[in-house]
């Protein structure tokens, strides 16, 4: 018997001038006659978080039925096709009401220290606990993304609480908040190489140069070693990277042409939807190329005054969130909540359609989607919206609505999530136990 198969290491990258482009999973990364569990086909577990601001409308988020085969409530209707991968958990609670504390406590399970000075303190967040466990094999242990620039917010942003508590959802340690990257160009070049100043990036943009141009020769050499299926997979992946890059270039070209705003950051689209989807696509690309296995994404700041003209909502989100039972405001909040979920659905579709080992990225990952409050009018900490999506390589069943006992600490879920990734947690923040997922 003759075995004619060339092995490609999972850590292989395409290299060019200042660029290093990671590869998706290829069949050639499985050595011939080697057990699947000992090869790159062994599923890689990934963890993602998507934070949405100002809660979800009570009555429009939680399914009426507990258990399997529940009917999706209105806000979650855009995710119908992903129900087999969905686990909703109700009756989980944050420790305190309020913008700053509900954000800082969400992934840390801790009560933030009350201060508007620099001596902020909450707790390490679960994404960083998981990154410390599974992030050592990738270029970045974790990536932190957002769509709003928080760098100008300092001092007190909520009653007696520092802006630092609202400006990120990720804490490396109890006293170290992690900055969130908002610029798609900066993120793209962190992931694939060729960083530089804004002027250098603008120069490359004007020449319409692609990072992929510099790795073309290395890519051609690799393609010669691959079978037809792997060549098609590689071409599809590189086409997707190029498509993301071209969208960033179009945004940069539009921004650079506006003389009235010459200092506008290059790479940040004016359209929220375009910006949000670029960050989602870079999120997915980072997982596909195994650049990182842990990503947090803060869709908007919790006190965001963003308006949504694309869906006909012109009142600022935060102002609208204090609705006072005004029917029009409540209706618009449901519309905004559903809109955010629909964008998340596009991201999930990308994960579901991306092959990964013996399944898809969605099969082998788990994403937490939610907010630190429920009823925005009162900043309520009770029954906060909590959705898990993904199979985590068979560790999470899906198609379930789990109802925890009332006022179960959200930190209990963090214990369970950490342990799904082998973190061996007994206690996390103010946890009192676990949530069986």
């Amino acid at each position: 018997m003759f075995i004619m198969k060339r092995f490609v290491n999972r850590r292989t990258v395409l290299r060019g001038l200042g660029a290093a482009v990671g590869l998706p999973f290829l069949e050639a990364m499985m050595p011939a006659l080697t057990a699947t569990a000992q090869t790159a086909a062994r599923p890689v577990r990934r963890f993602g978080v998507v934070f949405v601001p100002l809660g979800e409308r009570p009555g429009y988020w939680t399914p009426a039925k507990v258990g399997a085969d529940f009917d999706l409530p209105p806000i979650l209707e855009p995710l119908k096709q992903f129900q087999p991968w969905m686990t909703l958990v109700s009756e989980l609670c944050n420790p305190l009401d309020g913008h700053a504390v509900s954000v800082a406590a969400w992934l840390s399970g801790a009560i933030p220290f009350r201060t508007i000075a620099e001596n902020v303190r909450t707790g390490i967040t679960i994404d960083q606990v998981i990154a410390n466990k599974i992030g050592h094999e990738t270029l970045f242990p974790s990536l932190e993304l957002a769509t709003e620039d928080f760098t100008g917010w300092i001092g007190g942003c909520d009653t007696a609480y520092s802006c630092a508590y609202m400006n990120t959802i990720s804490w490396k340690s109890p006293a170290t908040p992690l900055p969130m990257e908002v610029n798609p160009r900066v993120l793209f070049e962190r992931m694939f190489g060729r960083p530089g100043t804004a002027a250098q990036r603008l120069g490359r943009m004007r020449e319409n140069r692609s990072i992929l141009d510099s790795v073309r020769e290395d890519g051609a050499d690799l393609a010669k070693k691959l079978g037809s299926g792997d060549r098609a997979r590689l071409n599809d992946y590189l086409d997707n990277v190029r498509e993301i890059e071209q969208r960033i270039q179009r945004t940069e070209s539009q921004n650079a042409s506006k003389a009235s705003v010459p200092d506008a950051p290059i790479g940040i689209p004016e359209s929220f939807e375009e910006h949000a989807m670029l960050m989602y696509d870079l999120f997915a690309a980072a997982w596909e190329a195994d650049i990182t296995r842990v990503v947090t994404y803060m869709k908007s700041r919790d006190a965001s005054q963003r308006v949504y003209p694309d869906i006909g909502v012109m009142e600022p989100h935060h102002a609208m969130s204090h609705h006072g039972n005004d029917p029009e405001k409540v209706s618009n909040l449901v519309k905004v909540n559903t809109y955010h979920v629909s964008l998340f659905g596009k991201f999930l579709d990308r994960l579901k359609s991306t092959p990964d080992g013996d399944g898809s990225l969605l099969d082998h990952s788990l994403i937490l989607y939610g907010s630190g409050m429920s009823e925005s009018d009162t900043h309520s900490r009770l029954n906060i919206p909590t959705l898990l999506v993904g199979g985590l390589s068979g560790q999470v069943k899906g198609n379930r609505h789990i109802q925890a006992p009332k006022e179960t600490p959200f930190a209990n879920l963090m214990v369970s999530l950490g342990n799904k990734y082998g973190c061996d947690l007994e206690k996390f923040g103010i946890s009192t136990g676990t949530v069986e997922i």
Side-chain angles (χ1 to χ4, degrees), residues 295-339:
V295 182
T296 53
Y297 182 14
M298 197 173 187
K299 288 285 286 297
S300 285
R301 201 167 184 269
D302 202 62
S304 175
Q305 295 287 10
R306 187 187 299 280
V307 296
Y308 296 91
D310 290 349
I311 59 171
V313 177
M314 298 305 297
E315 184 174 4
H317 194 175
H318 183 206
M320 184 172 58
S321 73
H322 293 288
H323 53 79
N325 293 319
D326 181 301
E328 183 178 359
K329 293 179 186 288
V330 170
S331 176
N332 281 338
L333 284 170
V334 173
K335 187 181 293 187
V336 168
N337 294 159
T338 308
Y339 176 59

Side-chain angles (χ1 to χ4, degrees), residues 78-157:
L79 302 184
K80 181 65 179 176
Q81 66 167 308
F82 305 106
Q83 189 161 338
W85 290 269
M86 292 169 57
T87 301
L88 279 134
V89 188
S90 57
E91 299 298 346
L92 301 182
C93 302
N94 249 334
L96 296 169
D97 295 331
H99 291 296
V101 290
S102 67
V103 174
W106 191 52
L107 296 183
S108 70
I111 298 176
F113 177 66
R114 191 169 185 175
T115 180
I116 60 171
E118 296 179 358
N119 58 333
V120 294
R121 189 172 186 86
T122 179
I124 183 173
T125 49
I126 195 64
D127 60 298
Q128 293 304 299
V129 173
I130 293 172
N132 289 341
K133 182 68 178 181
I134 69 172
H136 60 282
E137 296 183 3
T138 54
L139 177 62
F140 298 108
S142 65
L143 289 173
E144 294 76 39
L145 321 180
T147 61
E148 288 187 282
D149 186 359
F150 312 137
T151 55
W153 296 86
I154 57 175
C157 281

Side-chain angles (χ1 to χ4, degrees), residues 334-410:
V334 173
K335 187 181 293 187
V336 168
N337 294 159
T338 308
Y339 176 59
H340 275 285
V341 167
S342 70
L343 299 184
F344 181 56
K346 293 179 181 180
F347 167 66
L348 294 179
D349 191 54
R350 165 79 185 277
L351 299 183
K352 181 173 176 286
S353 62
T354 302
D356 183 61
D358 60 354
S360 69
L361 285 179
L362 187 59
D363 292 323
H364 298 151
S365 307
L366 190 64
I367 307 102
L368 167 65
Y369 181 100
S371 186
M373 64 176 68
S374 53
E375 172 53 80
S376 58
D377 197 35
T378 58
H379 303 157
S380 176
R381 67 182 184 87
L382 302 175
N383 195 16
I384 61 176
T386 305
L387 171 65
L388 299 167
V389 188
L392 196 59
S393 305
Q395 293 189 65
V396 179
K397 188 183 299 184
N399 189 27
R400 289 177 301 156
H401 169 207
I402 299 169
Q403 187 177 74
K406 286 186 180 298
E407 298 197 39
T408 295
F410 191 68

